[in-house]
Amino acid sequence: MPIVNINVNGKLVSAEVEGRTLLVQFLRENLRLTGTHVGCDTSQCGACVVHVDGKSVKACTMLAVMADACEVTTIEGLANNGSMHPMQQAFMDNHGLQCGFCTPGMVMTALDIVNRNGNDLDDSTVRKELEGNICRCTGYHNIVKSVKAGAKTMGE
Amino acid sequence: MYDFLYHKVNSVDDAVAAMGNADDGKFVAGGQTMLPTMKHRLASPSDVIDLGGVSDLVGIANEGDALVIGAMTTHAAVAASAEVQSAIPALAKLAGNIGDPAVRNRGTLGGSIANNDPAADYPAAVIALGATVKTNKREITGDDFFTGMFETALEEDELITAVSFPIPMTAAYIKFENPASRYAIVGVFIAKTVDGNRVAITGATPCAYRGMKFEKVLNEDFSSNACDAVEVSVDRMNSDIHASAEYRAHLVKVMVKRAVDACG
Ligand SMILES: Cc1cc2nc3c(=O)[nH]c(=O)nc-3n(C[C@H](O)[C@H](O)[C@H](O)COP(=O)(O)OP(=O)(O)OC[C@H]3O[C@@H](n4cnc5c(N)ncnc54)[C@H](O)[C@@H]3O)c2cc1C
Ligand code: FES
Ligand code: FES
């Protein structure tokens, strides 16, 4: 079986995996990082979004072996010494979640939006950028608010 | 997903050699179509040959009269490229409206055209711009490349290395998209070139095609009104839960007219 060396949230992990092991399975089942969710079978919901070498990807649509020698950041990698990342805090402050299932993917996508579009975001940019993330609870309104607020705090 | 032998390769030669040794091998590029298909067990290759490490296949070069884009260049890279934005802005816009940001970070030009989904965006650009598909064996014109639904002129062990897109005078791509996936229900790419206008239509029929009747009227009078004279036959149109054949035939003309207007 192939061996992968992946830097996950700043820690180097080395493991033997089957070729068919998805990155999301590797994170959840091998590393027990269960913050990254699986919400669909069709690569459409975005609950599984993580960053690989700084770019958002759907961890359900990438093999673990494809992430060999890469840096992976998951939702667990955001908090700093027990205090939430400003984007996580913004989701809490703005009621950007209800059941919370979509939230890890939303937050990881939100950070990717800030990386590419800066800290001053308008509604239409955020809505377009969130096209790959589905939420069945909130109606998106407060998610958009949270992303904008989080982006702003990150710039301060 | 059934298990398979995974091969990481660093060169086109190694990729083709690995394919030659495999029972029932498949190349994988971004995996954005292939992995969902394998998860559903609609494909179960014995060997998967990952092109992700072949750096020769990534890149965008302006050769003066054409943009040459490597097969493994992601949709995100094409969308963000200053080179593409200035030479063929319609192509950058097309790439930037494929799926969503995470899909664009992995999905590639080569994977998209090799797959030839009837609703994919890139085939319209390849046909309308009169592009040439370069493989490890030969060069194939855009007109000859797409042969049917999910079918191309590629042989089993043939690998796309790059696509050369001639730079048009002006061009536009307009799609009526499925709001959930952003795949084209109908998409129209129009290129104005020194040799005349080229119109390509995707999403409407089992395989993207050239709208020759539209080209003819547009070569005489490049205006959206001129398109009213063209009858779009319902016969070959796709019909599914997203749109009936009649609706698609109607959309074809509407999208052609919008693309003409967008060309200015
Ligand atoms: C949620 C979602 C939304 C999407 N929306 C759109 C959309 O709006 N418009 C659109 O056009 N597409 C859309 N796609 C498809 C996306 O663009 C894919 O990236 C593309 O279809 C396949 O590219 P890939 O690099 O992922 O190829 P893969 O999935 O890796 O491969 C696809 C096929 O191409 C073959 N292949 C790959 N590279 C080569 C090569 N260099 N030479 C020969 N054969 C090769 C593979 O063997 C395989 O058969 C969407 C996908 C998803 C998951
Ligand atoms: S689990 Fe739905 S997109 Fe990955
Ligand atoms: S908060 Fe429940 S799915 Fe988004």
Side-chain angles (χ1 to χ4, degrees):
Chain A
M1 285 200 294
I3 294 178
V4 290
N5 294 291
I6 308 178
N7 184 321
V8 182
N9 299 330
K11 269 192 231 123
L12 193 67
V13 289
S14 221
E16 219 180 14
V17 295
E18 284 186 315
R20 64 174 162 178
T21 304
L22 298 167
L23 178 57
V24 73
Q25 281 173 315
F26 179 71
L27 294 170
R28 290 179 56 85
E29 292 164 27
N30 293 45
L31 305 183
R32 296 279 160 198
L33 293 172
T34 53
T36 304
H37 292 167
V38 177
C40 75
D41 235 353
T42 51
S43 309
Q44 282 177 317
C45 76
C48 62
V49 170
V50 300
H51 293 188
V52 174
D53 287 343
K55 288 181 178 161
S56 62
V57 304
K58 292 179 174 174
C60 73
T61 315
M62 183 166 176
L63 299 172
V65 282
M66 290 172 161
D68 186 32
C70 292
E71 283 186 19
V72 175
T73 308
T74 70
I75 190 76
E76 290 91 343
L78 298 186
N80 189 359
N81 284 329
S83 61
M84 280 197 278
H85 186 284
M87 189 59 80
Q88 292 174 302
Q89 189 64 48
F91 271 71
M92 192 169 152
D93 295 345
N94 291 281
H95 201 156
L97 58 145
Q98 288 178 27
C99 80
F101 193 86
C102 70
T103 315
M106 289 287 177
V107 170
M108 296 313 288
T109 299
L111 295 178
D112 184 59
I113 298 174
V114 177
N115 287 342
R116 287 179 296 109
N117 298 278
N119 300 89
D120 190 15
L121 300 169
D122 58 38
D123 279 31
S124 69
T125 304
V126 175
R127 285 181 185 275
K128 179 165 179 359
E129 292 279 349
L130 286 178
E131 276 175 345
N133 293 74
I134 293 174
C135 174
R136 61 177 299 194
C137 303
T138 63
Y140 301 98
H141 195 73
N142 285 350
I143 293 179
V144 176
K145 235 165 99 182
S146 306
V147 175
K148 285 168 58 180
K152 215 160 169 204
T153 319
M154 283 169 68
E156 280 161 7
Chain B
M1 185 186 310
Y2 293 109
D3 205 14
F4 48 80
L5 275 177
Y6 175 81
H7 305 264
K8 183 123 212 171
V9 294
N10 297 312
S11 72
V12 170
D13 287 347
D14 288 353
V16 174
M19 184 62 104
N21 292 330
D23 227 12
D24 175 22
K26 271 271 192 197
F27 298 121
V28 68
Q32 301 303 290
T33 296
M34 177 121 149
L35 292 175
T37 311
M38 288 170 67
K39 279 199 248 177
H40 293 133
R41 298 187 172 176
L42 296 170
S44 49
S46 63
D47 295 67
V48 169
I49 300 141
D50 187 355
L51 305 176
V54 189
S55 51
D56 287 354
L57 297 179
V58 182
I60 297 166
N62 188 331
E63 298 196 339
D65 54 359
L67 276 184
V68 180
I69 306 183
M72 286 298 291
T73 312
T74 61
H75 309 326
V78 172
S81 157
E83 204 81 76
V84 182
Q85 285 169 5
S86 78
I88 317 180
L91 192 62
K93 193 174 149 224
L94 175 151
N97 283 313
I98 293 176
D100 56 63
V103 167
R104 293 196 286 274
N105 278 337
R106 297 283 308 160
T108 66
L109 168 60
S112 176
I113 65 171
N115 193 53
N116 193 18
D117 190 298
D121 296 303
Y122 265 126
V126 170
I127 295 172
L129 291 166
T132 303
V133 179
K134 301 181 180 211
T135 78
N136 59 318
K137 299 185 174 181
R138 56 186 167 143
E139 299 197 341
I140 310 169
T141 65
D143 285 334
D144 294 334
F145 184 79
F146 304 101
T147 53
M149 187 159 155
F150 295 109
E151 300 276 340
T152 67
L154 288 176
E155 291 163 18
E156 288 287 310
D157 61 343
E158 194 168 7
L159 186 110
I160 301 168
T161 54
V163 180
S164 173
F165 295 96
I167 297 170
M169 281 149 38
T170 173
Y173 179 65
I174 302 282
K175 75 169 156 175
F176 191 83
E177 60 185 27
N178 176 316
S181 71
R182 263 79 57 203
Y183 271 109
I185 291 175
V186 171
V188 172
F189 202 110
I190 296 187
K192 272 178 109 165
T193 77
V194 281
D195 303 322
N197 303 301
R198 291 175 64 101
V199 177
I201 298 150
T202 190
T205 55
C207 179
Y209 67 101
R210 252 178 96 180
M212 304 263 199
K213 287 190 208 156
F214 286 110
E215 290 179 6
K216 197 159 166 256
V217 300
L218 290 170
N219 283 340
E220 276 160 32
D221 172 14
F222 195 82
S223 75
S224 48
N225 285 342
C227 300
D228 286 329
V230 175
E231 290 285 337
V232 181
S233 161
V234 174
D235 294 348
R236 294 184 306 141
M237 294 289 142
N238 295 331
S239 186
D240 54 30
I241 52 165
H242 308 301
S244 66
E246 288 76 11
Y247 187 40
R248 276 195 169 83
H250 173 75
L251 281 175
V252 167
K253 195 186 287 189
V254 175
M255 293 302 120
V256 171
K257 290 171 79 167
R258 285 187 193 169
V260 169
D261 289 338
C263 277

